[in-house]
Amino acid sequence: MFKPPLKWAGGKRWLVSYLEPIWGKNSERRYVEPFCGGLAVVLGLQPQHALLNDINPHLINFYRHVQHGLEMHIEMRNDEELFYRHRDRFNQLVRKGRAHTEEAAQLFYYLNRTCFNGLCRFNKGGDFNVPFGTYTTINYALDFAEYARVFVRWEFSNKDIESLEIEPEDFVYADPPYDVEFTTYSAGGFSWDDQVRTARLLAKHRGPVVISNQATERIIELYQGLGFELTYLDGPRRISCTGDRTAAREVLAIKSC
């Protein structure tokens, strides 16, 4: 299984073994992931054709440049002074409307590998504001050729889920931001209204759908009310502001076609 190129909070690599039997029955379909995040699931399932979307434009910019043979030319060290210099440069590019560039993709990768816990957080002004990390050593990739060979089969997009061109026969796996307060992963966050409209939209999809989320009371009620079949799992909690790393109760909401 390919290891994701980025560190990503809430990654679902552990979930792949649960999804493989479901995907195995639908592997001739196009795979669609509206909240693709760190790509742990799609890299584990390896579909031939995929539409991978995320609301974080910097993430998708990185993937698109990897798709076209991204190589790292910026200085990369586990150094606090260098980190903040690169962070300032990245935010400068964003403010100047150059967040789509190859330089921005390189800086995004470096910041992700070097920042605290691999978090991806932006302030209201759109600036990346995660502090320097506390790693002893960091392994940085110099190129992404092995990923480019896989990514060439896939399409990457940066849209709201309602704007995605999902075809009736597509297989959809959705991992929306959890139903918790910490939602500064992208500008504007992800509200309860966003949870509801996402679930309702996917409930209407004619093809198979799997949604993963934290099993809060209102999430369970929402998915049950829309006719999804629910399965409960204990997922790892690798990042917590309280230091609590106990398993988090997760729910898989499944709709077969």
Side-chain angles (χ1 to χ4, degrees):
M1 185 189 301
F2 270 90
K3 187 177 180 180
L6 300 171
K7 295 179 180 180
W8 211 251
K12 290 299 186 296
R13 199 176 185 196
W14 65 273
L15 195 57
V16 170
S17 61
Y18 295 96
L19 295 173
E20 279 176 333
I22 305 171
W23 169 245
K25 298 174 184 177
N26 296 280
S27 58
E28 77 286 354
R29 300 174 184 267
R30 184 177 69 158
Y31 175 95
V32 176
E33 196 169 339
F35 309 93
C36 68
L39 302 185
V41 171
V42 71
L43 285 170
L45 298 178
Q46 288 287 313
Q48 281 298 308
H49 305 286
L51 172 59
L52 305 170
N53 180 76
D54 202 275
I55 55 175
N56 185 324
H58 311 295
L59 180 68
I60 297 301
N61 182 60
F62 170 73
Y63 292 150
R64 284 173 172 164
H65 281 285
V66 168
Q67 192 177 38
H68 293 96
L70 179 67
E71 294 182 357
M72 300 298 295
H73 300 295
I74 63 169
E75 186 178 3
M76 293 189 294
R77 285 183 286 108
N78 186 16
D79 178 84
E80 187 169 2
E81 182 181 352
L82 179 65
F83 173 82
Y84 286 110
R85 191 160 70 242
H86 278 341
R87 194 180 77 168
D88 288 343
R89 175 58 179 166
F90 177 78
N91 288 331
Q92 183 182 62
L93 290 174
V94 173
R95 293 190 207 105
K96 290 183 175 181
R98 298 182 60 201
H100 64 284
T101 61
E102 182 176 333
E103 182 186 4
Q106 292 184 48
L107 289 167
F108 183 78
Y109 171 75
Y110 169 80
L111 294 175
N112 171 266
R113 300 295 295 178
T114 316
C115 74
F116 179 75
N117 270 345
L119 293 174
C120 189
R121 187 183 65 201
F122 298 85
N123 63 24
K124 291 182 179 179
D127 285 352
F128 184 87
N129 65 355
V130 183
F132 181 65
T134 55
Y135 305 107
T136 304
T137 59
I138 302 175
N139 294 320
Y140 297 105
L142 298 179
D143 69 68
F144 301 89
E146 61 178 336
Y147 294 99
R149 287 190 287 271
V150 177
F151 285 15
V152 73
R153 308 195 307 258
W154 301 340
E155 177 185 354
F156 293 92
S157 69
N158 168 228
K159 298 179 179 179
D160 182 85
I161 187 172
E162 289 194 71
S163 300
L164 271 186
E165 287 115 14
I166 302 176
E167 300 296 333
E169 297 304 312
D170 287 341
F171 174 93
V172 180
Y173 165 63
D175 182 42
Y178 277 177
D179 180 29
V180 293
E181 292 181 8
F182 184 72
T183 54
T184 53
Y185 157 76
S186 63
F190 196 82
S191 68
W192 175 246
D193 286 344
D194 292 322
Q195 293 279 5
V196 172
R197 71 186 179 92
T198 295
R200 287 176 175 169
L201 178 69
L202 295 178
K204 295 176 183 177
H205 178 57
R206 286 168 50 186
V209 175
V210 180
I211 311 175
S212 55
N213 211 320
Q214 187 162 345
T216 62
E217 185 175 337
R218 62 181 183 174
I219 282 289
I220 293 169
E221 183 178 347
L222 172 64
Y223 293 164
Q224 283 180 334
L226 291 169
F228 287 94
E229 177 185 342
L230 305 189
T231 300
Y232 299 96
L233 305 168
D234 286 332
R237 180 178 289 162
R238 295 189 179 88
I239 296 177
S240 170
C241 59
T242 64
D244 179 11
R245 301 298 178 99
T246 56
R249 192 174 186 229
E250 309 247 345
V251 61
L252 276 187
I254 302 169
K255 181 180 76 69
S256 302
C257 61

